[in-house]
Amino acid sequence: MKLRPLHDRVIVKRVDSERKTASGIVIPDNAAEKPDQGEILAVGPGKRDDAGKLIELGVKVGDRVLFGKYSGQSVKVDGDELLVMREDDIMAVIAA
């Protein structure tokens, strides 16, 4: 990974959603919504509280997470579109 997030930020790669409905209808790329799930590729060290103590993040590399459709800042690295977002933008960790 060429990106190392700072403070309480994480690097997330969107996970492609299913492009076929339950009834078998295929949804074209231009009509599909942005996925709101992703896999964490890198995490920052955490942020500091008022006393200067480091507060570690509650997520780790490899976690599959749920976030808002328009959360984070989109960046391209080696042809892959990644999201840089704060831990606060993550709504939930999806249990495997």
Side-chain angles (χ1 to χ4, degrees), residues 17-34:
S17 59
E18 187 67 35
R19 303 227 169 158
K20 191 184 234 186
T21 64
S23 61
I25 298 172
V26 177
I27 301 171
D29 289 339
N30 57 355
E33 293 183 7
K34 287 183 179 181

Side-chain angles (χ1 to χ4, degrees), residues 41-78:
L41 301 179
V43 296
K47 67 179 179 181
R48 299 199 178 269
D49 63 7
D50 294 333
K53 183 180 174 196
L54 187 67
I55 301 170
E56 293 186 15
L57 300 180
V59 294
K60 61 186 182 307
V61 174
D63 280 350
R64 191 165 177 159
V65 294
L66 182 68
F67 51 87
K69 291 187 189 283
Y70 303 104
S71 297
Q73 177 66 39
S74 180
V75 295
K76 276 202 169 190
V77 177
D78 296 333

